[in-house]
Amino acid sequence: MRRAQIKNRRATNNRDEALHTAVVGLQWGDEGKGKIVDLLTADHDVIVRYNGGANAGHTMVVGDQRYAVHLIPAGILYPDKVCVIGNGVVVDPQKLIEEIEALRGRGVEVGDNLRVSDRAHVVMPYHKEHDAALENVLSKAVSGSEKSVDLSIGTTRRGIGPAYADKVQRSTAIRMGELLDGERLRAKLRVICAIRQRELEALGVQAAPLNADALASQHAAIGRRLAGHITDTVYLLHDYLEQDRRILFEGANACLLDIDHGTYPYVTSSNCSTLGIPAGTGVPGTHIHRVLGIMKAYSTRVGAGPFPTEQVNAIGDRIRERGHEYGTTTGRPRRCGWLDLVAVRYSAMVCGATGLACMLLDVLSGIDELKICTQYRLPDGSVTDRFIPDAVRLGEVQPIYTTLPGWSEEIDEATDRTALPANARRYLERIEQIVGIPVEIVSVGPERTQTLLEV
Ligand code: IMP
């Protein structure tokens, strides 16, 4: 897209009606969404999570303090904002309590400012067991037979897939609101646990039998502790819309992990793209005029699945070490590679991104030549600039790169975009040209202050 068109898109972003903003990852997660949500929270009244669960991890650095949250929206650090966990989220309630306590322990206020949908689904302990057991069975299926394939996903083992599976299955699911009715919970868990027990045994789990009554008591107690937070968040959000309060929608995971639009089956189990917002919050998409797509200046991926620009070499290692590319949730080393703009452009299209935030640009300092993937070569020799959201076919493409000169200077002290080395500015301009939308934010370090805003 030409520069003039980019300018038009920027003008649209500034429309007065752009009250509400969505923040979404455009790669395979870990793009630094937490930092941007934290930054944008100042301009919004309500921060809403719409998908995923404790598989996500957002880290915010304020001064010398580092905060990591998995379920609670990153906006919780502002006492005057309301944080909402929407109905599209799967909540591990024990983890939620731990997160609340950890924040309170550090002086962060968590009370009426945290609202949890009564329709959000509960991640139960047996979901986590099931997740891990299934992954083990799937990864071991390969050994001893040439024909078998490793079908494991490399999940975070947080029970995300099994909890969403129960949601779709319906009768064996438990929603947050149900934690408030101890008697019904007990009756329901007696049936569910009998089924789960057999399933876990079939997956080779030898653990002690599931104790439905103990689980019910434990979760009724959890329900009592969380009761003040659990509510109908759909009406709550519509009340806020009526009051013209500004809402920030915070996506967890990222577009290429979206259950429908990502690199299936190597995806998570929710709609992490902005398409998940209406279903995951009850707020129609027509309310959202500003979508900020978050991307790193390079690519990373955790777990299995195709990654055309992956660098299993010194460049990949360098990016991992400089970028501290180890999972916030699981500590796993992330796979690292060159920036794939075929993928980013696709995600920006699916998410309706109106602007980009380019994160971790400082990590690329000191690399002589930088590569950006702009097209894929298919096995038949043809070339495409379209992403292929199918794991097998994407695994067969060869990336076609444009090479750009790097910059040697450290940029972590830059205070605006014009202060960046010329080659760093060119790198950003190339991203804008290829993706067709402006880079509105550039991040050159973890601190709030190391954020360059395009005004
Ligand atoms: P699950 O969400 O635990 O089922 O994992 C499914 C896939 O998504 C795995 O490859 C995970 O590594 C990946 N995944 C899930 N959440 C995130 C995230 O927040 N960042 C990066 N990868 C994620």
Side-chain angles (χ1 to χ4, degrees), residues 342 345 372-388 393 396-402:
V342 179
R345 187 173 45 209
I372 293 180
C373 171
T374 54
Q375 291 175 309
Y376 296 147
R377 191 177 306 284
L378 304 177
D380 66 2
S382 61
V383 168
T384 182
D385 59 7
R386 293 190 165 200
F387 189 66
I388 302 170
R393 288 176 53 230
E396 292 168 350
V397 306
Q398 290 301 322
I400 299 177
Y401 291 110
T402 294

Side-chain angles (χ1 to χ4, degrees), residues 3 24 69 119 161 185 233 294 347 353 358 366 385:
R3 199 74 200 157
V24 64
V69 283
R119 289 181 230 168
L185 188 62
T233 54
I294 317 299
S347 295
C358 181
D385 59 7

